[in-house]
Amino acid sequence: MPQLNPSPWFLILIFSWLVFLTIIPPKMLSHNLLNHPNPSDSVSYSAEPWHWPWP
């Protein structure tokens, strides 16, 4: 049964992971964000106690 022979499938698996780990991450990391978050615009909210309408 040829599907039980791991030789070609193991090479395909290794090659595909090699492609995923060497080619795709630099392409994904090269994209620039258009809107950079500004921490000075963040508003801090104070927590208020919640009053339940029932006792």
Side-chain angles (χ1 to χ4, degrees), residues 32 45 50:
N32 294 330
Y45 296 102
W50 178 262

Side-chain angles (χ1 to χ4, degrees), residues 1 5 7 11-12 16-18 26 31 34-35 38 40 50:
M1 297 176 71
N5 184 9
S7 175
L11 287 176
I12 291 172
S16 64
W17 274 104
L18 183 71
H31 293 289
L34 296 177
N35 296 325
N38 191 359
S40 65
W50 178 262

Side-chain angles (χ1 to χ4, degrees), residues 10-39:
F10 185 70
L11 287 176
I12 291 172
L13 175 77
I14 295 298
F15 182 70
S16 64
W17 274 104
L18 183 71
V19 167
F20 286 144
L21 293 176
T22 58
I23 295 175
I24 295 176
K27 286 183 179 268
M28 294 292 289
L29 292 174
S30 68
H31 293 289
N32 294 330
L33 292 175
L34 296 177
N35 296 325
H36 295 287
N38 191 359

